Amino acid sequence: MSHAGHHDAAVRHEHVADPAVDGTIYTCPMHPEIRQPAPGVCPKCGMTLEPMLPFLDDEENPELVDFRRRFWWTLPLTVVVTVLAMIGHRLELLAPQNQSWVEFILASPVVLWAGWPFFVRGVRSIATRNPNMWTLIGSGVAAAYFYSVVATVMPDAFPASFAAHGRVGVYFEAAAVIVSLTLLGQIFELRARSQTSAAIKSLLGLAPKTARRIGADGSEEDIPLTHVHVGDRLRVRPGEKVPVDGVVEEGQSAVDESMLTGEPLPVSKESGDKLIGATINANGSLIMRAEKVGAATTLAQIVQMVAQAQRSRAPMQRLADVVAGYFVVAVMSIAVLTFFGWGWFGPAPSWVYGLINAVSVLIIACPCALGLATPMSIMVATGKAASVGVLFRDAAAIEQLRTIDTLIVDKTGTLTEGKPAFHRAVAAPGFTADEVLRIAASLDQGSEHPLAHAIVAEARLRQLVLDTPEAFESGSGIGVRGQVTGKAVILGNTALMEDEAIAWRVLADEAEALRKEGASVMYLAVERRLAGLVAVADPVKASTAEALAGLKAAGIRVIMATGDGLTTARAVASRLAIDEVHGEVKPRDKVELVDRLQREGRKVAMAGDGINDAPALAKADVGIAMGTGTDVAMNSAQVTLVKGDLRGILRARALSVATVDNMRQNLAFAFLYNALGVPLAAGLLYPFSGLLLSPLIAALAMSFSSVSVITNALRLRRIEI
């Protein structure tokens, strides 16, 4: 195998002969809890298992190839035996009993070879006590075929009333046509199902196969992507894909990130800017340093999230699961009642009518459409969402998002760029402004917060000498603590100063003036004495106002909850027309706010990007994380906006509405189909209209039901969001 074939499965998934070698896991679309390291069929529903991540090669599904071969090789036999059954007695080409033998010879390869997989799955369903569609199909075909075999071999064993056109009636053509039509339906279904993985295939195909590594001596060579390690220096030439996630060290260029974020405009990149693997470098040459490779890259994580969401169960599926659990048993019972009801009370030949109608009941009542109704919609919807930069963690998030009526938003990194710039340092008596900045930056070296990055960057720009912090403590959501050169240092908002009993009001007027300018203010205390304050400004994202206007137009109440000072929060909120603002809130305050709104009967979504947002993201009905934020936030959320653009919430909500409507359509069709089909097949309309449903028509309708559900789900790929 080539080096590329060994690439992490989350990034590039190639087909190999032995699934155990590449770690491919196969699962069932209807029962995602079923997982195994080799191809096969689901022990619960009998459906062919699919790889968790699709293969990138061009090989067709082996079962599709097998079913197509069985169908085309036996189709001529099915056609001939059907023609003989319909008009053979009129042509008088054969003696009546000889015609039965000819039909037996023609139909047997169709039933016993082409239909063999159906019998295997039917027997397995009975052995494992998981009755499913193959139980019904296998029983129906076997009943029609073996009845006809007995009628052909021992015609004298049947009463004279069973005879028609000089022989005992046989139904080889029914058994053969059912097999052929079921094969045809499976071919259409397998083709349609393969389209639901198109989104993941397109994501997997984004990853480049090679990278150009710069050696320590300045030499350059092209290497397989799997040979790239964290810290490697890589050159990205114009028109090439960025190989892995990293940071620009040299050069300037515009990078097209639309394939991952849905943002159509190229993004300017220069030294210090982040790069996402698989995005396209437009015009300039870049030298980058690799920071994330393999399964740690953004692309790999997106693929894993989409795959996980596609295999999850929607709450709406619970109804279908309950119904399906009793469905097959009920159909088998109806078939038995149909057989004996017609046999005892029907017109002659009553038992033949009973057999044929019972077979029709077994064939038409396929639970496959019911089982596929929501999984197919979820698979298509998650793929569609990923193409516009929205990642759903599971099916429940898709179903719940449409019900949201309240959105709580963090400020930094959610409403704003999350790339704050240093604004000003103010010193208290006994300190200088540069000293305040140096101490604050020294402590903030241990923080991942964007405000901390801005402070550290400014101190380094001024070439201030920073000390290594000790006993650093973060995660409170209101500031940080630690020691710098052996002195206890505290940096945070007024809530933290109050908790630590620091006399911060000495600089209250200066802080308030800075907040009115929209800056975030952090107080600095050294050895429990106020040293000064640091102000950092963070510009509002260009898309935020449009996103909030759209959310309000959709009837969603928007609330800001931030750890920043109330004056700063109000300054930003007034620019964005946000009426309800909560400032200087701690992580537990955000959780309490979510809980209070939920107790009021509101359906609450929380959007944030930081570690301090994680508890509220987990508590909300739907947590929405900015893809530009921390891993903790994304792991706590049900929805991730790759670009960190709040307009993604509108897209996600529109898709949620369309997906739930699609699932309801599928479930309604499946229920209606069986509610009408089973009584019709049982012959309940015969006393009033003389109408009976042929097993041939039942087989065609059964195949149509599953294909129609999948086709309806595929419509989601074309909706505008």
Side-chain angles (χ1 to χ4, degrees), residues 246-498:
V247 63
V248 177
E249 287 195 339
E250 298 178 26
Q252 289 183 330
S253 185
V255 176
D256 180 0
E257 299 181 342
S258 60
M259 66 288 298
L260 294 181
T261 65
E263 179 61 48
L265 297 177
V267 181
S268 296
K269 300 290 183 181
E270 57 186 21
S271 180
D273 288 339
K274 298 287 186 181
L275 292 172
I276 304 175
T279 55
I280 300 175
N281 181 26
N283 44 33
S285 179
L286 297 173
I287 295 178
M288 64 174 292
R289 184 179 70 256
E291 292 188 334
K292 294 180 180 180
V293 301
T297 64
T298 300
L299 175 62
Q301 292 175 352
I302 289 174
V303 169
Q304 292 289 7
M305 288 184 70
V306 174
Q308 176 183 334
Q310 286 190 341
R311 304 301 178 187
S312 61
R313 306 287 275 175
M316 195 179 292
Q317 182 66 19
R318 293 170 188 160
L319 173 61
D321 289 343
V322 171
V323 173
Y326 300 98
F327 184 78
V328 177
V329 175
V331 169
M332 297 287 285
S333 301
I334 292 172
V336 171
L337 291 174
T338 299
F339 176 71
F340 284 106
W342 276 91
W344 288 332
F345 306 111
S350 59
W351 292 104
V352 174
Y353 277 123
L355 173 67
I356 298 306
N357 290 332
V359 169
S360 294
V361 169
L362 292 172
I363 298 303
I364 200 170
C366 174
C368 193
L370 191 61
L372 288 172
T374 68
M376 290 299 104
S377 298
I378 293 299
M379 291 183 73
V380 177
T382 49
K384 174 70 176 180
S387 71
V388 294
V390 178
L391 305 179
F392 288 100
R393 191 174 70 185
D394 52 35
I398 297 179
E399 192 169 328
Q400 291 174 2
L401 188 58
R402 53 182 279 280
T403 67
I404 294 301
D405 56 27
T406 303
L407 174 66
I408 301 173
V409 291
D410 180 40
K411 182 179 78 69
T412 304
T414 303
L415 298 176
T416 63
E417 291 285 356
K419 296 179 181 178
F422 176 80
H423 186 61
R424 188 180 170 195
V426 177
F431 293 86
T432 65
D434 275 358
E435 189 177 6
V436 169
L437 177 59
R438 185 188 66 80
I439 296 172
S442 295
L443 180 62
D444 265 342
Q445 288 179 102
S447 173
E448 293 184 355
H449 198 282
L451 297 179
H453 291 172
I455 294 171
V456 174
E458 179 67 18
R460 287 175 175 162
L461 184 65
R462 298 188 185 187
Q463 298 183 339
L464 301 178
V465 179
L466 304 184
D467 298 303
T468 302
E470 301 171 358
F472 180 82
E473 179 186 338
S474 183
S476 66
I478 55 176
V480 293
R481 302 177 180 86
Q483 289 188 349
V484 177
T485 62
K487 296 180 179 179
V489 178
I490 302 169
L491 179 66
N493 61 17
T494 55
L496 180 58
M497 296 297 112
E498 291 285 355

Side-chain angles (χ1 to χ4, degrees), residues 564-575:
D564 279 347
L566 192 56
T567 302
T568 302
R570 284 175 175 164
V572 173
S574 64
R575 292 163 55 189

Side-chain angles (χ1 to χ4, degrees), residues 556-586:
I556 296 177
R557 172 184 173 190
V558 180
I559 301 171
M560 180 198 292
T562 177
D564 279 347
L566 192 56
T567 302
T568 302
R570 284 175 175 164
V572 173
S574 64
R575 292 163 55 189
L576 296 172
I578 298 175
D579 299 324
E580 187 172 344
V581 181
H582 299 265
E584 296 192 3
V585 295
K586 302 176 182 178

